[in-house]
Amino acid sequence: MGDHASNSPPEPLEPRARPAGGTEYSWCKAVPTGTGITVLTLILSKPPDLSLLQNTFNKFQSSHPLLRSKLRFDPTSSTFSFITPPSPQTQIQPFDLPSTSRILQAHPNAHSIDPHHLILEHELNQNTWRDNDKPLDADADMFFASVYALSDARWVVALRFHTSVCDRASAVALLRELLEEMCGGGSGGTEGEFEGKTEVSLGIEDYIPSGKDRKAFWARGVDVLGYSLNSFRLSQLDFLDVESPRFSQVVRLQMSADETSKLVDGCKTRGIKLCSAIAAAGVLAAHASKHLTDSQKEKYAVVTLMDCRPILEPILSNNHIGFYHSAILNTHDVTGDEQLWELAIRCYTSFNNAKKYNKHFTDMSDLNFLMCKAIDNPGLTPSSSLRTAFISVFEEPVTDESSEKHREVGLEDYVGCSSVHGVGPSIAVFDTIRDGKLDCACVYPSPLHSREQMLGLIDSMKKVLVGAGNLVENGKNFTTT
């Protein structure tokens, strides 16, 4: 009897489950509306090894249970949970030349925009978390992988994530591990050195240091009311079409190494961060686009996203996959004769002061609450646009350098960003300094804003930034006039 029992097959592992945290819940609400679809695309000049890629993605999911989790919605309690099976689930979806061609030809600007760019936008708008034919309680995957053949000499590898399980720092960590595997420097298909191999990572709220998020009840009420009332006084970039269905599009702001170096030096000289200069340039460009008088004042909202991993308890490494960013919202009054460095210093000072008062923790639940309220009640936002700010930026840029190994595998370019056509800003900036050159993927909701409108805005932003950098050596300020 005992021998029979010992020879019995082991009991199958049961899926694990945990409820979504507060910030994760807000993303679970946002993604079906169109905001929070995170995409990484890599353009290759050599055919990718599908077997190696599949093994790498299996490794990702084995190392990070959240990436192999499924999202479950309970309609009776209106709650979300992550259901985590014991083994990887994602399979690469390949698109051959005819399949890719059909996708590209469906785009209205197929002949004037680079195919890689079109695939990026196509992936940003593949909302598998919004399926009207799917039962409300059906489980949804959180990670998808595709390979597109653009020609006999170009391919795109695309990874798509639900943002609740993959913030920008997570995406960067996965990108670097993917490139390491592709270049032959990985760990040969083992689980690697990522954290979270056996346990499902917790939400950010569970890692906030004790007392850092404490706020008096009356203060919370005042702040929520203040954020709400302020939203009615905020200026927005002109809306072009508030009725048609929305989707995300991307334009890129790119600067040379010399231009980038001068801009970064200007920030260092003034003791501020690049994000504040980018935000200030965006605000000045938006104000200038309206052709107002120099003395006419407008109030713009800037959201700065910061990676909280280094200040959580315990400290989390950059490779700890999940969503661990927090947002700080500041508003700024701007006139047409504003100077770039003056406004950038104000932007950074406001952000830094908010950090000193722990507003990235104390206001987290307030901003999540207001985000969910906007989703449920679009009429609370200007023209029911779901715009909660003009621009969002990240506190720190991603810094990367190309290598000979990257060239050996045929890596030509890559872009990482997230969709914003649901609730969110008019322009979300995902900045990278690659080989010393600033490269920003700027995502916006269309047709609320048009590509022509955004290209004009980005061109104006670049002129402001380049002009400010060129005058750094003389200790001068650059204005938009």
Side-chain angles (χ1 to χ4, degrees):
M1 189 77 172
D3 290 342
H4 176 74
S6 64
N7 292 329
S8 298
E11 291 291 325
L13 295 174
E14 292 295 322
R16 300 174 187 163
R18 78 157 172 86
T23 299
E24 292 167 338
Y25 176 85
S26 67
W27 284 115
C28 292
K29 292 268 290 182
V31 169
T33 74
T35 290
I37 302 168
T38 296
V39 173
L40 278 172
T41 58
L42 296 81
I43 181 73
L44 304 174
S45 61
K46 296 182 180 180
D49 183 334
L50 294 186
S51 177
L52 182 147
L53 289 178
Q54 185 64 63
N55 288 337
T56 301
F57 300 150
N58 289 345
K59 171 185 171 180
F60 287 172
Q61 292 192 302
S62 295
S63 301
H64 310 292
L66 273 177
L67 293 184
R68 66 175 187 265
S69 296
K70 295 178 180 290
L71 184 64
R72 178 173 296 174
F73 176 67
D74 184 350
T76 59
S77 60
S78 295
T79 57
F80 294 92
S81 297
F82 298 124
I83 310 300
T84 309
S87 58
Q89 306 288 314
T90 294
Q91 294 295 316
I92 295 174
Q93 184 173 8
F95 293 89
D96 58 15
L97 276 171
S99 300
T100 303
S101 179
R102 284 192 291 271
I103 292 171
L104 295 177
Q105 292 304 318
H107 197 287
N109 300 110
H111 300 293
S112 59
I113 298 177
D114 181 77
H116 171 215
H117 192 114
L118 295 180
I119 292 297
L120 171 65
E121 292 187 353
H122 171 73
E123 283 283 329
L124 283 172
N125 293 289
Q126 291 299 296
N127 197 340
T128 51
W129 299 280
R130 183 177 185 176
D131 187 346
N132 295 328
D133 297 326
K134 186 186 296 181
L136 283 175
D137 57 352
D139 296 343
D141 291 335
M142 309 297 274
F143 169 41
F144 299 85
S146 302
V147 174
Y148 297 86
L150 299 183
S151 68
D152 291 332
R154 295 184 86 205
W155 293 261
V156 172
V157 176
L159 311 185
R160 177 162 33 95
F161 306 89
H162 192 290
T163 294
S164 69
V165 301
C166 186
D167 59 12
R168 188 173 74 149
S170 298
V172 170
L174 293 171
L175 170 66
R176 288 174 176 165
E177 178 69 4
L178 172 60
L179 290 175
E180 187 176 346
E181 294 285 345
M182 292 174 63
C183 295
S187 48
T190 64
E191 290 189 350
E193 299 178 354
F194 283 118
E195 297 181 5
K197 297 181 183 68
T198 57
E199 297 297 325
V200 178
S201 300
L202 300 176
I204 186 173
E205 289 83 2
D206 292 299
Y207 294 115
I208 295 176
S210 179
K212 291 285 188 178
D213 61 343
R214 188 173 299 139
K215 183 193 286 192
F217 177 79
W218 65 268
R220 191 171 300 283
V222 168
D223 282 348
V224 169
L225 183 62
Y227 281 129
S228 300
L229 293 178
N230 248 338
S231 66
F232 292 105
R233 301 200 298 267
L234 295 177
S235 298
Q236 303 286 342
L237 193 65
D238 290 341
F239 300 142
L240 301 185
D241 182 349
V242 298
E243 301 293 339
S244 300
R246 287 175 203 149
F247 47 93
S248 287
Q249 291 186 324
V250 184
V251 294
R252 290 172 77 171
L253 189 164
Q254 296 174 303
M255 293 169 56
S256 69
D258 181 62
E259 292 167 342
T260 301
S261 176
K262 291 176 180 178
L263 177 63
V264 171
D265 286 346
C267 292
K268 289 180 179 178
T269 299
R270 291 162 176 81
I272 65 176
K273 293 188 175 182
L274 177 63
C275 62
S276 297
I278 292 173
V283 168
L284 292 176
H287 190 282
S289 71
K290 298 183 180 181
H291 306 291
L292 306 172
T293 62
D294 285 349
S295 61
Q296 193 163 343
K297 185 180 295 184
E298 291 198 306
K299 184 184 294 289
Y300 288 91
V302 174
V303 170
T304 306
L305 293 157
M306 56 181 292
D307 181 9
C308 293
R309 286 171 177 79
I311 56 175
L312 296 176
E313 198 172 87
I315 293 173
L316 303 181
S317 77
N318 292 336
N319 294 336
H320 196 103
I321 303 302
F323 191 91
Y324 300 104
H325 278 67
S326 186
I328 290 178
L329 186 150
N330 295 115
T331 60
H332 302 281
D333 293 324
V334 180
T335 58
D337 56 0
E338 194 87 48
Q339 297 177 332
L340 183 280
W341 289 120
E342 176 184 294
L343 179 56
I345 290 170
R346 280 204 285 131
C347 287
Y348 182 71
T349 301
S350 298
F351 167 71
N352 205 39
N353 286 341
K355 275 181 63 176
K356 290 178 181 177
Y357 286 100
N358 294 314
K359 289 182 78 66
H360 47 295
F361 290 142
T362 62
D363 289 15
M364 185 182 294
S365 62
D366 301 341
L367 293 177
N368 287 337
F369 171 79
L370 290 171
M371 180 177 176
C372 291
K373 280 296 180 185
I375 292 169
D376 293 334
N377 303 277
L380 297 177
T381 61
S383 304
S384 297
S385 65
L386 288 176
R387 294 311 100 195
T388 54
F390 163 63
I391 191 170
S392 68
V393 293
F394 287 87
E395 180 183 13
E396 301 289 352
V398 174
T399 303
D400 202 7
E401 298 291 333
S402 299
S403 70
E404 184 59 36
K405 286 187 175 181
H406 292 170
R407 287 183 280 274
E408 288 175 3
V409 298
L411 179 65
E412 292 186 353
D413 192 13
Y414 63 83
V415 180
C417 55
S418 299
S419 62
V420 297
H421 57 277
V423 66
S426 281
I427 179 171
V429 180
F430 297 81
D431 56 331
T432 300
I433 297 179
R434 191 180 312 157
D435 298 329
K437 304 173 186 177
L438 181 64
D439 185 354
C440 301
C442 304
V443 191
Y444 62 94
S446 178
L448 190 69
H449 303 299
S450 69
R451 196 182 299 274
E452 292 72 23
Q453 182 186 23
M454 279 297 170
L455 285 171
L457 183 81
I458 295 305
D459 183 60
S460 180
M461 285 177 63
K462 180 176 178 177
K463 288 178 180 177
V464 171
L465 292 170
V466 171
N470 286 337
L471 293 176
V472 165
E473 295 177 348
N474 297 325
K476 298 178 181 178
N477 284 313
F478 175 73
T479 69
T480 56
T481 56

